[in-house]
PDB file of all heavy atoms in Angstrom:
ATOM      1  N   SER J 415      -3.989 110.571  50.194  1.00  0.00           N
ATOM      2  CA  SER J 415      -3.509 109.948  48.967  1.00  0.00           C
ATOM      3  C   SER J 415      -4.292 110.467  47.770  1.00  0.00           C
ATOM      4  O   SER J 415      -5.224 111.096  47.894  1.00  0.00           O
ATOM      5  CB  SER J 415      -3.758 108.363  49.041  1.00  0.00           C
ATOM      6  OG  SER J 415      -5.136 108.094  49.065  1.00  0.00           O
ATOM      7  N   VAL J 416      -3.640 110.306  46.571  1.00  0.00           N
ATOM      8  CA  VAL J 416      -4.315 110.731  45.418  1.00  0.00           C
ATOM      9  C   VAL J 416      -5.598 109.994  45.269  1.00  0.00           C
ATOM     10  O   VAL J 416      -6.628 110.611  44.780  1.00  0.00           O
ATOM     11  CB  VAL J 416      -3.406 110.539  44.155  1.00  0.00           C
ATOM     12  CG1 VAL J 416      -4.093 110.684  42.873  1.00  0.00           C
ATOM     13  CG2 VAL J 416      -2.098 111.315  44.250  1.00  0.00           C
ATOM     14  N   TYR J 417      -5.596 108.755  45.617  1.00  0.00           N
ATOM     15  CA  TYR J 417      -6.800 107.988  45.547  1.00  0.00           C
ATOM     16  C   TYR J 417      -7.896 108.624  46.384  1.00  0.00           C
ATOM     17  O   TYR J 417      -9.025 108.885  46.006  1.00  0.00           O
ATOM     18  CB  TYR J 417      -6.589 106.546  46.006  1.00  0.00           C
ATOM     19  CG  TYR J 417      -7.952 105.721  45.989  1.00  0.00           C
ATOM     20  CD1 TYR J 417      -8.410 105.215  44.807  1.00  0.00           C
ATOM     21  CD2 TYR J 417      -8.589 105.534  47.180  1.00  0.00           C
ATOM     22  CE1 TYR J 417      -9.634 104.435  44.825  1.00  0.00           C
ATOM     23  CE2 TYR J 417      -9.785 104.815  47.221  1.00  0.00           C
ATOM     24  CZ  TYR J 417     -10.277 104.275  46.013  1.00  0.00           C
ATOM     25  OH  TYR J 417     -11.503 103.600  46.052  1.00  0.00           O
ATOM     26  N   GLU J 418      -7.581 109.056  47.556  1.00  0.00           N
ATOM     27  CA  GLU J 418      -8.504 109.737  48.428  1.00  0.00           C
ATOM     28  C   GLU J 418      -9.004 111.096  47.860  1.00  0.00           C
ATOM     29  O   GLU J 418     -10.169 111.397  47.962  1.00  0.00           O
ATOM     30  CB  GLU J 418      -7.914 109.928  49.869  1.00  0.00           C
ATOM     31  CG  GLU J 418      -8.899 110.464  50.828  1.00  0.00           C
ATOM     32  CD  GLU J 418     -10.020 109.599  51.242  1.00  0.00           C
ATOM     33  OE1 GLU J 418      -9.875 108.374  51.049  1.00  0.00           O
ATOM     34  OE2 GLU J 418     -11.034 110.114  51.753  1.00  0.00           O
ATOM     35  N   HIS J 419      -8.094 111.799  47.245  1.00  0.00           N
ATOM     36  CA  HIS J 419      -8.506 113.046  46.591  1.00  0.00           C
ATOM     37  C   HIS J 419      -9.565 112.787  45.476  1.00  0.00           C
ATOM     38  O   HIS J 419     -10.594 113.525  45.522  1.00  0.00           O
ATOM     39  CB  HIS J 419      -7.332 113.628  45.905  1.00  0.00           C
ATOM     40  CG  HIS J 419      -6.445 114.553  46.677  1.00  0.00           C
ATOM     41  ND1 HIS J 419      -6.572 115.870  46.766  1.00  0.00           N
ATOM     42  CD2 HIS J 419      -5.359 114.274  47.556  1.00  0.00           C
ATOM     43  CE1 HIS J 419      -5.697 116.401  47.599  1.00  0.00           C
ATOM     44  NE2 HIS J 419      -5.013 115.478  48.131  1.00  0.00           N
ATOM     45  N   ILE J 420      -9.391 111.804  44.622  1.00  0.00           N
ATOM     46  CA  ILE J 420     -10.417 111.606  43.578  1.00  0.00           C
ATOM     47  C   ILE J 420     -11.627 111.007  44.106  1.00  0.00           C
ATOM     48  O   ILE J 420     -12.723 111.284  43.716  1.00  0.00           O
ATOM     49  CB  ILE J 420      -9.777 110.872  42.359  1.00  0.00           C
ATOM     50  CG1 ILE J 420      -9.360 109.490  42.713  1.00  0.00           C
ATOM     51  CG2 ILE J 420      -8.697 111.692  41.726  1.00  0.00           C
ATOM     52  CD1 ILE J 420      -9.019 108.638  41.534  1.00  0.00           C
ATOM     53  N   LYS J 421     -11.467 110.179  45.148  1.00  0.00           N
ATOM     54  CA  LYS J 421     -12.672 109.572  45.890  1.00  0.00           C
ATOM     55  C   LYS J 421     -13.515 110.598  46.428  1.00  0.00           C
ATOM     56  O   LYS J 421     -14.767 110.581  46.308  1.00  0.00           O
ATOM     57  CB  LYS J 421     -12.248 108.523  46.925  1.00  0.00           C
ATOM     58  CG  LYS J 421     -13.364 107.878  47.651  1.00  0.00           C
ATOM     59  CD  LYS J 421     -12.737 106.868  48.755  1.00  0.00           C
ATOM     60  CE  LYS J 421     -13.982 106.253  49.558  1.00  0.00           C
ATOM     61  NZ  LYS J 421     -13.419 105.321  50.507  1.00  0.00           N
ATOM     62  N   ARG J 422     -12.936 111.603  47.129  1.00  0.00           N
ATOM     63  CA  ARG J 422     -13.682 112.640  47.709  1.00  0.00           C
ATOM     64  C   ARG J 422     -14.336 113.555  46.650  1.00  0.00           C
ATOM     65  O   ARG J 422     -15.421 113.996  46.884  1.00  0.00           O
ATOM     66  CB  ARG J 422     -12.811 113.535  48.579  1.00  0.00           C
ATOM     67  CG  ARG J 422     -12.369 112.765  49.891  1.00  0.00           C
ATOM     68  CD  ARG J 422     -11.655 113.683  50.847  1.00  0.00           C
ATOM     69  NE  ARG J 422     -10.901 113.010  51.862  1.00  0.00           N
ATOM     70  CZ  ARG J 422     -10.222 113.554  52.866  1.00  0.00           C
ATOM     71  NH1 ARG J 422     -10.298 114.936  52.955  1.00  0.00           N
ATOM     72  NH2 ARG J 422      -9.616 112.914  53.781  1.00  0.00           N
ATOM     73  N   SER J 423     -13.708 113.679  45.390  1.00  0.00           N
ATOM     74  CA  SER J 423     -14.281 114.536  44.383  1.00  0.00           C
ATOM     75  C   SER J 423     -15.556 113.784  43.861  1.00  0.00           C
ATOM     76  O   SER J 423     -16.543 114.474  43.587  1.00  0.00           O
ATOM     77  CB  SER J 423     -13.268 114.693  43.265  1.00  0.00           C
ATOM     78  OG  SER J 423     -13.030 113.477  42.524  1.00  0.00           O
ATOM     79  N   VAL J 424     -15.505 112.505  43.709  1.00  0.00           N
ATOM     80  CA  VAL J 424     -16.621 111.750  43.203  1.00  0.00           C
ATOM     81  C   VAL J 424     -17.735 111.714  44.298  1.00  0.00           C
ATOM     82  O   VAL J 424     -18.952 111.933  43.982  1.00  0.00           O
ATOM     83  CB  VAL J 424     -16.244 110.297  42.817  1.00  0.00           C
ATOM     84  CG1 VAL J 424     -17.346 109.461  42.461  1.00  0.00           C
ATOM     85  CG2 VAL J 424     -15.238 110.376  41.597  1.00  0.00           C
ATOM     86  N   ASP J 425     -17.410 111.602  45.566  1.00  0.00           N
ATOM     87  CA  ASP J 425     -18.346 111.613  46.566  1.00  0.00           C
ATOM     88  C   ASP J 425     -18.988 113.009  46.737  1.00  0.00           C
ATOM     89  O   ASP J 425     -20.259 113.024  47.003  1.00  0.00           O
ATOM     90  CB  ASP J 425     -17.615 111.326  47.997  1.00  0.00           C
ATOM     91  CG  ASP J 425     -17.321 109.811  48.097  1.00  0.00           C
ATOM     92  OD1 ASP J 425     -17.797 109.002  47.246  1.00  0.00           O
ATOM     93  OD2 ASP J 425     -16.579 109.477  49.049  1.00  0.00           O
ATOM     94  N   PHE J 426     -18.219 114.006  46.600  1.00  0.00           N
ATOM     95  CA  PHE J 426     -18.795 115.326  46.652  1.00  0.00           C
ATOM     96  C   PHE J 426     -19.946 115.489  45.713  1.00  0.00           C
ATOM     97  O   PHE J 426     -21.044 116.004  46.098  1.00  0.00           O
ATOM     98  CB  PHE J 426     -17.774 116.425  46.440  1.00  0.00           C
ATOM     99  CG  PHE J 426     -18.266 117.792  46.489  1.00  0.00           C
ATOM    100  CD1 PHE J 426     -18.412 118.476  47.784  1.00  0.00           C
ATOM    101  CD2 PHE J 426     -18.799 118.423  45.317  1.00  0.00           C
ATOM    102  CE1 PHE J 426     -19.053 119.753  47.721  1.00  0.00           C
ATOM    103  CE2 PHE J 426     -19.366 119.748  45.321  1.00  0.00           C
ATOM    104  CZ  PHE J 426     -19.504 120.364  46.604  1.00  0.00           C
TER     105      PHE J 426
END
Side-chain angles (χ1 to χ4, degrees):
S415 67
V416 172
Y417 177 78
E418 183 65 23
H419 273 264
I420 62 171
K421 179 179 176 181
R422 291 189 195 183
S423 75
V424 173
D425 286 348
F426 178 85

